[in-house]
Amino acid sequence: MGDEGAPRPSSTRPRTLVLLRHGETDWNVEERAQGHADVPLNAVGHAQAEAVAQALAGIGAVRLWSSDLMRAMQTAERVAATTGLAIEPDPRLREYDVGRRSGLTLPEFAATYPEAFSSWRRGDGRRLVRGEESTEQVRSRIVPALHDCLGALSAGQTGIAVLHGGCLKVGLMGLLGWPGELSRSLQGMENCGYSMLSDSGPQGEVRLTSYNEKAGGLRHGPDFAADAPVG
């Protein structure tokens, strides 16, 4: 990456990046770890995506990035339809790869991999199931990807990135420079919730300007994926 993440002069209009979580899937409802599984939106998820797309149509976004997984792309397609923007897929925006626990509910995870489950419950990422990404691995791809998105914008411009609950939280905290120890104090994003960040600090520091905004009055309850790297 070049100098995209360099401090912005305080006299310049800030750039804004909207982080949008995808709509609901059946696996969200069933509380199954999704990871890189290509699970589509369900009917509620499509309605959520349509509602949030209408809400975001008026913010004047000029770029639209998305994870290349189906549930994110289907959400991004609704945003593209209301904004006229082309979707720019980026596999770095994918959710945690949860390896062999993909498709498992929490009780199934606990029964099948008890040591890894106990480690996960403690917030200790040293014991992973086969094929599972660590938070450090996710951070190493998601934070540069989001810096690239923000850096691709000119002064005063807004962009939208569609991604997933677990990696979104890691990326947001990384952009803000928050230590990982604060992760459990931040509630995960709900399906089709969105947050806004801008480089509006005195020296161009990235600031959180809104969090977990929702649209349309549809169901947006806390779910398994909001509190675990699965969504």
Side-chain angles (χ1 to χ4, degrees):
M1 187 176 66
D3 61 357
E4 294 89 346
R8 175 191 57 82
S10 58
S11 60
T12 303
R13 291 176 298 155
R15 301 169 293 183
T16 299
L17 183 61
V18 180
L19 304 183
L20 170 62
R21 188 183 173 205
H22 64 79
E24 183 183 275
T25 71
D26 284 343
W27 279 24
N28 287 144
V29 177
E30 296 165 4
E31 300 186 344
R32 296 188 181 279
Q34 295 183 111
H36 287 187
D38 227 4
V39 185
L41 300 181
N42 61 19
V44 170
H46 282 290
Q48 290 171 337
E50 179 63 32
V52 77
Q54 294 294 335
L56 294 176
I59 67 172
V62 299
R63 300 284 292 271
L64 173 61
W65 300 274
S66 178
S67 158
D68 61 349
L69 293 175
M70 185 185 304
R71 56 197 183 275
M73 287 292 290
Q74 288 179 327
T75 303
E77 286 167 4
R78 300 314 309 148
V79 177
T82 62
T83 61
L85 297 172
I87 302 170
E88 302 176 55
D90 188 337
R92 295 178 298 171
L93 300 178
R94 286 186 172 197
E95 182 57 291
Y96 278 72
D97 187 344
V98 295
R100 289 196 170 185
R101 69 182 183 92
S102 179
L104 299 182
T105 63
L106 275 178
E108 290 168 344
F109 178 23
T112 308
Y113 302 104
E115 292 184 358
F117 176 78
S118 295
S119 177
W120 173 80
R121 274 297 202 201
R122 295 192 305 269
D124 178 359
R126 288 176 293 182
R127 292 197 63 86
L128 304 172
V129 303
R130 184 175 297 178
E132 184 175 9
E133 278 186 296
S134 68
T135 295
E136 290 72 24
Q137 288 172 315
V138 173
R139 185 182 296 114
S140 71
R141 61 174 167 84
I142 195 72
V143 175
L146 295 179
H147 271 301
D148 286 349
C149 292
L150 190 60
L153 302 171
S154 297
Q157 289 185 333
T158 297
I160 301 169
V162 185
L163 58 171
H164 308 264
C167 68
L168 189 157
K169 186 175 178 180
V170 171
L172 181 148
M173 293 181 64
L175 283 180
L176 295 170
W178 292 358
E181 292 77 15
L182 294 179
S183 178
R184 293 202 167 198
S185 68
L186 183 66
Q187 172 65 37
M189 296 267 291
E190 300 170 25
N191 288 116
C192 273
Y194 63 92
S195 295
M196 294 187 177
L197 302 102
S198 67
D199 57 348
S200 57
Q203 299 300 318
E205 303 94 338
V206 176
R207 288 176 164 177
L208 181 64
T209 58
S210 73
Y211 187 74
N212 203 27
E213 301 280 351
K214 296 171 285 291
L218 296 167
R219 183 173 81 231
H220 293 274
D223 58 64
F224 172 63
D227 285 322
V230 301

